[in-house]
Amino acid sequence: GKLLVLVDGASLGLVLALLALTTCTNLASSIVAAVKLNQATFIPMASCGSLVLNQATGLLLWGDGRTVRSWLSYAGVHILILLGTYELSSADLCEHIRQRRSRAAETSLS
């Protein structure tokens, strides 16, 4: 959406077409996720993914790094938000790692 002010003519049509395509893809994937996934896990994890993607986009595309005064604080705030979201979710990363290690050990013994 932010690129709309930077283009005109045929480029504007291409940007609008890509915007419509990504909007439809996002809508379709959200509908599938709502039907097939555990929402107590999906929504917090999707929020974390969105936060990380927005942070990377801000730093890489929009030059947010020029305005950051303390990188430790910048990283710390994002880590706290991610940990808080994880804490509120039903996801259990430690149990997931434990199960993967158990399966790997069983596979290597066979």
Side-chain angles (χ1 to χ4, degrees), residues 50-102:
S50 179
L51 175 68
V52 170
L53 185 61
N54 285 336
Q55 179 186 19
T57 302
L59 291 172
L60 298 173
L61 294 179
W62 304 113
D64 289 352
R66 294 184 301 241
T67 61
V68 175
R69 291 186 189 161
S70 170
W71 285 100
L72 181 61
S73 297
Y74 184 81
V77 165
H78 282 84
I79 290 169
L80 285 172
I81 293 170
L82 292 173
L83 289 174
T85 305
Y86 170 73
E87 182 68 26
L88 292 172
S89 77
S90 65
D92 187 354
L93 185 60
C94 295
E95 180 62 28
H96 177 72
I97 292 170
R98 195 174 307 116
Q99 288 176 358
R100 286 191 74 176
R101 286 184 179 168
S102 175

Side-chain angles (χ1 to χ4, degrees), residues 14-73:
L14 178 63
V15 170
L16 287 173
L18 290 173
L19 182 61
L21 177 66
T22 57
T23 300
C24 291
T25 303
N26 189 22
L27 177 63
S29 65
S30 295
I31 291 170
V32 170
V35 172
K36 296 194 177 230
L37 300 175
N38 176 2
Q39 295 302 297
T41 303
F42 172 74
I43 291 175
M45 294 304 119
S47 296
C48 287
S50 179
L51 175 68
V52 170
L53 185 61
N54 285 336
Q55 179 186 19
T57 302
L59 291 172
L60 298 173
L61 294 179
W62 304 113
D64 289 352
R66 294 184 301 241
T67 61
V68 175
R69 291 186 189 161
S70 170
W71 285 100
L72 181 61
S73 297

